[in-house]
Amino acid sequence: QALNLMNHRFIMDRINANNSRSTIGVILAEANDPTEIIQKLYLSTLSRFPTQQETALLMPMMVQLGNADGAESLQWILMNKLDFVFNY
């Protein structure tokens, strides 16, 4: 079940930045700052703010990949995080 969640086509379509109705599409339309994007993705996925350590770990990825690709990668990471898989 967890592997299906990680790789299912539905999940991959929903985390696509080009889908304007996806969470990422909405967040990218509202925010341009990587820190704000990280915070909004954490809030919408895990219902909590990221810790300072989590934000510090994710900032290089956001800078390297850019906002759209970084947000897609982060959303996939969060949806496959133990917090999400076992609590939601």
Side-chain angles (χ1 to χ4, degrees), residues 42-61:
Y42 262 81
L43 280 174
S44 66
T45 308
L46 300 179
S47 301
R48 69 171 178 86
F49 284 100
T51 64
Q52 289 181 346
Q53 182 181 10
E54 289 168 331
T55 302
L57 287 171
L58 293 168
M59 282 304 292
M61 178 187 74

Side-chain angles (χ1 to χ4, degrees), residues 1 3 8 10-11 15-18 23-24 28 33 35 37 39 41 44 46 52 59-60 64 66 71-72 77 80-81:
Q1 192 174 24
L3 283 175
H8 195 275
F10 176 77
I11 299 297
I15 64 171
N16 192 325
N18 294 327
T23 301
I24 293 174
L28 290 175
D33 177 45
T35 303
I37 293 168
Q39 288 178 346
L41 281 171
S44 66
L46 300 179
Q52 289 181 346
M59 282 304 292
Q64 181 181 6
E72 286 179 358
I77 290 167
N80 291 291
K81 193 170 168 43

